[in-house]
């Protein structure tokens, strides 16, 4: 590697690298990155100590002059990146993992460097089509007809919000403030947030109770809709869970769609966590009926292991997305009229944005869907292994067998107050995480603190799961 | 470079590259990218021929098996990437350029590969702080107090929408359907779209006429607000332009803020195009008064030349963003209570999303603000040069001298119908673009087709502007 002579700060146009300078900068970053990746098996799954101090050292004023590349990279890799939750670690079993496959990082690197614009089809027919192609794959995976479509968002929150706005535009008038929507008490909070952002009063969100398996209670849903109609509300949307964040529970999508159809409501399935298990037999069984929904949120940065920043919304009838999003300016290029060519700005909330298709298309082309399917099967197996191990432990209460790849459990009650029992479980979680080999997180179910193991990193294999069980055993013994 | 032996399709875990495999994949992409970058001076600024066929060749089903890396890369670089608008070209003077600085592509590559999560501060204190630091730089650039804040969005559309939702939550009740907002006839269509997405009836958007310099007419604004109050509407938001997309006109922000303050309205400045000229003396003069606005949209992928996918919303009082966006789930980690530490999911619409701070922080650290300032000064100079050249041409009518970096012009009227004159100008534009050395686009002003030169790529220098003038001259002669 050549000496670092700050070529970037010299010259008339310091921002303008040629091919060699660009390659040099990339090589310097790559040295750090390759080392980082090879260190993942041995680095902690979580390291929050000293995070505040490390972070505050980056609170510096806008620099007028540049610095040497290697010293900036050193600063970044030594002080900024290692702190916090190691989302790339094989031991990351917290929240909803993903891990970040590296072929997507390379694809995004290509997209950024060539900087083509995909918001309008004409501006980059090839890259826009690549994004459309990926959407078509996903529509077929869900079982949607050819009239379906969708777009890639930055994540589940934006996809859920777009679904909500689309349903609002399709089913309600301008005067929509009596519109009510229905979500189970296990629904992700992004659904509530989406409703608020879309202009609905908080009081219009009906939280439907769940059954013993934490699935939305369909009889309660029917009752709530009926009651709202009597009170002159306008029920318009049911939000079904395609794998809850708490426990991975999948609602009875078929029955929900049936109720919604009977009542003239839109069904949206938030399958941000669970959707890509459709690549597996077990996932298809769990999510059966999803093809009957009007829209579906998927999160490739969860179930396809992509780096953060790629969500997806699919709608059964693309025209509804267009009706809610098509607005024009005189300075804009012509939009497509051909049926098979889509201008993304016409069917989604953004105009200028990154090219998100490549980071999906590229790894699928390199590895094939088979590689993703195999990894997802492994996650389902590992969650079942976790369940089998945990039910053997006397001190633990383990919730239902995992429907997807989340296992929830807690210490058996010792008869203390809710507060005391919750604190015992929180302490238990801390002791497990103190191992640094795994990072689990908790949630509250009916007010009771509950630990979760969510297996969804492509880097998590049986060896790390065994370390997880050992950490749990050790934490029990303390 | 080693032979391409498809290492990625073998092994138990094909998605899981080690450091060497990752470096190898990156090297292969880099060969194409370096060649691409070095070709930019000679490749067409726009190449739409055969785009449909090239694109449709990518409409293939989800592959079950992988393909060799080099053949996938060849396909991408030969068929997908070259077609359409060459947004990275020095001759790209269309719409609003940017170009895509390569240090940001490298920064994003790092962010994707380490895949840390920045939506919650605790998850990645360093990278979240880097994003906060960049926001602080921008707040200071705008002249905002320490109580200000903001977040990085994917672009101007989402930033404008967030501003609108925030103003709605702050000033209107749940029953907000009588709320009216004010935008000039030169406002970007993303403002109208934002209002519709946020739930406002189309009829509540008041389009205010502009003066001879295409700036929002402040007297008309006052009148419109007064009239709405009389009709029991609730005026709540003025949308001022900090550089219009059509001509770069900057509204009289100070006067607009004064009216808004008098009337109790929120002022939002859409400075997606013009905002970063604040780094220059001329820009600060043009945008004077911007510090009085309640919120400002900036687009780093325009005025800081970043690759597509980075916008920014700043608000003078961060509490308003929080009030509109803070929603919780039981499975979430603790949020920060320290004043200086921000959880982005608390103040913005997204939860999981890409880490956008690094792609700004990294080039500022490598090159310093001075490099950006210098390049922006150059763009202002080049636009003035264009104006000086174009007014010398007898056949042309040139609109006002550029306030920022856009020059609008058209063929002088020959007394034909509007349709005929517009067609003459459209043909003229096509002849200019036929040179392939530059790509200009048009708009309509008062129904009249008008050509625009927008200088905002970091790769555009005087030599290419001279080629632009030559192309214009040649197109006149035909």
């Amino acid at each position: 590697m050549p000496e670092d002579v700050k070529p970037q700060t010299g010259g008339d146009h310091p921002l303008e690298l040629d091919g060699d300078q660009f390659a040099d900068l990339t090589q310097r970053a790559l040295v750090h990155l390759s080392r980082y990746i090879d260190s993942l098996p041995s680095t902690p799954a979580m390291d929050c100590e000293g995070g505040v101090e490390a972070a505050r050292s980056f609170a510096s004023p806008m620099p007028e002059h540049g610095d040497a590349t290697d010293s900036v990279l050193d600063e970044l890799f030594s002080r900024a990146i290692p702190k916090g939750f190691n989302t790339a670690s094989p031991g990351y079993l917290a929240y909803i993992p993903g891990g970040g496959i590296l072929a997507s990082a390379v694809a995004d690197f290509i997209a950024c460097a060539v900087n083509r614009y995909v918001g309008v089809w004409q501006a980059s027919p090839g890259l826009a089509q690549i994004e459309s192609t990926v959407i078509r794959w996903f529509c077929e995976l869900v079982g949607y007809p050819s009239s379906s479509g969708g777009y890639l968002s930055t994540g589940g929150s934006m996809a859920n919000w777009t679904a909500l706005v689309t349903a609002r535009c399709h089913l309600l008038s301008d005067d929509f403030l009596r519109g009510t929507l229905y979500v189970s008490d296990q629904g992700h909070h992004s659904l509530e947030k989406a409703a608020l952002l879309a202009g609905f009063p908080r009081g219009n969100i009906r939280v439907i109770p769940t059954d013993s398996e934490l699935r939305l209670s369909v009889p309660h849903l029917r009752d709530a809709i009926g009651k709202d109609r009597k009170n002159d509300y306008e029920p318009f949307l049911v939000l079904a869970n395609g794998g809850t964040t708490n426990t991975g529970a999948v609602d009875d999508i078929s029955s929900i769609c049936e109720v919604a159809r009977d009542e003239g409501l839109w069904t949206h399935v938030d399958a941000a966590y669970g959707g890509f298990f459709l690549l597996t037999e077990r996932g298809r069984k769990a999510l059966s009926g999803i093809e009957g929904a009007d829209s579906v949120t998927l999160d490739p940065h969860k179930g396809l292991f992509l780096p953060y920043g790629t969500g997806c919304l699919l709608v059964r009838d693309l025209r509804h997305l267009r009706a809610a999003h098509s607005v024009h300016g005189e300075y804009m290029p012509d939009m497509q009229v051909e049926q098979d060519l889509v201008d993304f700005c016409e069917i989604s909330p953004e105009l200028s944005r990154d090219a998100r298709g490549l980071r999906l298309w590229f790894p699928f082309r390199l590895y094939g869907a088979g590689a993703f399917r195999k990894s997802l099967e492994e996650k389902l197996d590992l969650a079942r292994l976790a369940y089998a191990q945990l039910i053997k432990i006397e001190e633990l209460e383990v919730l239902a067998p995992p429907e997807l790849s989340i296992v929830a459990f807690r210490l058996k009650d010792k008869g203390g107050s809710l507060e005391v029992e919750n604190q015992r479980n929180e302490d238990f979680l801390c002791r497990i995480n103190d191992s640094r080999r795994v990072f689990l997180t908790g949630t509250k179910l009916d007010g009771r603190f509950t630990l979760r193991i969510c297996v969804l990193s492509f880097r998590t294999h049986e060896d790390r799961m065994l370390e997880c069980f050992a950490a749990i055993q050790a934490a029990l013994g303390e």
Side-chain angles (χ1 to χ4, degrees), chain A:
Chain A
M1 171 161 304
E3 215 183 317
D4 189 2
V5 290
K6 305 212 297 173
Q8 71 283 1
T9 57
D12 271 355
H13 306 298
L15 302 177
E16 195 173 347
L17 310 185
D18 64 23
D20 285 344
Q21 290 167 322
F22 174 53
D24 175 66
L25 181 60
T26 305
Q27 302 295 2
R28 289 175 195 278
L30 199 49
V31 170
H32 287 271
L33 285 174
S34 293
R35 200 184 302 144
Y36 180 85
I37 287 151
D38 284 334
S39 77
L40 283 172
S42 60
T43 44
M46 188 258 279
D47 176 15
C48 291
E49 233 169 279
V52 175
E53 296 69 31
R56 283 191 176 134
S57 74
F58 286 91
S60 48
M62 187 189 278
E64 180 62 22
H65 302 289
D67 225 326
T69 305
D70 287 341
S71 79
V72 176
L73 285 169
D74 281 340
E75 200 179 319
L76 189 60
F77 277 89
S78 68
R79 293 214 317 269
I81 292 172
K83 289 288 159 196
F85 307 166
N86 192 350
T87 42
S89 164
Y92 189 79
L93 304 167
Y95 308 106
I96 308 280
I101 51 174
L102 296 167
S104 287
V106 173
D108 222 41
F109 183 50
I110 295 171
C112 280
V114 305
N115 196 38
R116 293 283 173 146
Y117 174 71
V118 298
V120 171
W121 190 88
Q122 200 192 136
S124 185
L127 291 175
Q129 181 57 48
I130 279 174
E131 196 156 328
S132 284
T133 295
V134 168
I135 291 289
R136 182 56 41 214
W137 296 348
F138 294 169
C139 284
E140 284 170 13
L141 185 65
V142 163
Y144 267 176
S146 62
S147 56
S148 62
Y151 84 104
L152 297 175
S153 66
T154 55
S157 291
M158 300 318 289
N160 283 336
W161 164 70
T162 299
L164 212 141
V165 167
T166 303
R168 186 195 75 196
C169 290
H170 180 56
L171 288 175
L172 301 174
S173 71
D174 273 1
D175 189 0
F176 64 80
L177 295 178
R178 300 289 291 175
T180 47
L181 48 153
Y182 304 81
V183 58
S184 92
D185 58 26
Q186 296 298 304
H188 192 267
H189 73 287
S190 66
L191 297 165
E192 177 189 351
K193 188 162 174 171
L196 300 176
L197 293 175
F200 290 92
R202 203 179 288 265
N204 292 28
I205 305 166
R206 308 288 182 238
V207 180
I208 309 297
T210 42
D211 61 22
S212 60
E213 288 170 305
L214 300 174
R215 294 148 55 112
L216 181 142
S217 158
V218 177
H220 280 93
L221 171 65
R222 268 196 202 279
D223 289 351
I225 294 171
K227 196 177 145 200
D228 279 330
R229 287 214 195 282
K230 272 187 207 137
N231 291 320
D232 283 331
Y233 282 100
E234 294 183 77
F236 82 106
L237 174 64
V238 191
L239 300 157
N241 298 304
T244 63
T245 302
N246 276 338
T247 65
V250 180
D251 288 339
D252 178 351
I253 300 175
S254 296
S255 297
I256 290 173
C257 285
E258 204 183 303
V259 172
R261 260 195 306 274
D262 287 354
E263 297 278 353
L265 273 61
W266 181 290
T267 305
H268 174 68
V269 179
D270 178 4
Y273 157 61
F276 285 108
F277 285 108
L278 284 168
L279 281 165
T280 71
E281 188 69 39
R282 283 173 282 185
R284 276 195 298 282
K285 203 177 147 201
L287 291 152
S288 80
I290 195 168
E291 71 284 355
D294 296 285
S295 54
V296 174
T297 287
L298 301 171
D299 248 356
H301 62 211
K302 296 188 175 86
L304 292 178
F305 323 116
L306 255 71
Y308 290 113
T310 310
C312 176
L313 176 69
L314 304 178
V315 294
R316 195 145 43 103
D317 187 339
L318 181 58
R319 290 173 303 180
H320 299 320
L321 262 191
R322 192 181 302 274
H325 291 94
S326 175
V327 177
H328 292 268
E330 291 285 14
Y331 39 78
M332 291 284 290
D334 293 337
M335 299 293 140
Q336 294 305 312
V337 288
E338 306 265 349
Q339 276 287 323
D340 63 328
L341 308 180
V342 172
D343 294 291
F344 286 110
C345 71
E346 288 269 285
I347 60 157
S348 68
E350 297 160 299
L351 180 60
S352 293
R353 48 99 162 164
D354 45 328
R356 299 179 188 131
L358 203 55
R359 61 183 87 141
L360 283 158
W361 181 87
F362 192 59
F364 270 87
R365 286 298 313 278
L366 290 191
Y367 311 122
F372 289 93
R373 178 176 299 113
K374 192 175 152 192
S375 190
L376 286 166
E377 294 281 12
E378 183 193 22
K379 304 314 143 196
L380 293 172
D381 290 341
L382 293 177
R384 272 141 198 79
L385 173 68
Y387 179 76
Q389 291 293 318
L390 296 181
I391 53 168
K392 284 191 231 159
I393 303 175
E394 177 69 18
E395 296 93 327
L396 296 182
E397 172 193 354
V398 188
L399 277 74
E403 201 163 353
L404 298 172
S405 72
I406 300 175
V407 183
F409 61 101
R410 57 190 160 221
L411 292 167
K412 274 184 188 154
D413 224 84
K414 283 193 168 174
S417 68
L418 181 66
E419 206 180 355
V420 166
E421 295 297 337
N422 281 353
Q423 193 59 56
R424 273 182 66 223
N425 275 290
E426 285 194 49
D427 294 344
F428 178 45
L429 174 63
C430 284
R431 290 196 302 274
I432 298 169
N433 287 340
D434 276 346
S435 75
R436 305 276 196 111
R437 295 298 293 163
V438 291
F439 177 39
L440 314 188
T441 50
T443 188
K444 278 189 180 161
L445 295 173
D446 255 342
R448 297 176 70 189
F449 190 89
T450 307
L451 292 78
R452 304 158 64 254
I453 294 174
C454 182
V455 196
L456 200 60
S457 167
F458 68 101
R459 291 194 180 97
T460 305
H461 310 300
E462 191 174 343
D463 56 342
R464 190 59 66 116
M465 292 305 290
L466 297 177
E467 291 193 63
C468 176
F469 308 143
I472 290 171
Q473 285 284 6
L476 280 171
E478 281 172 38

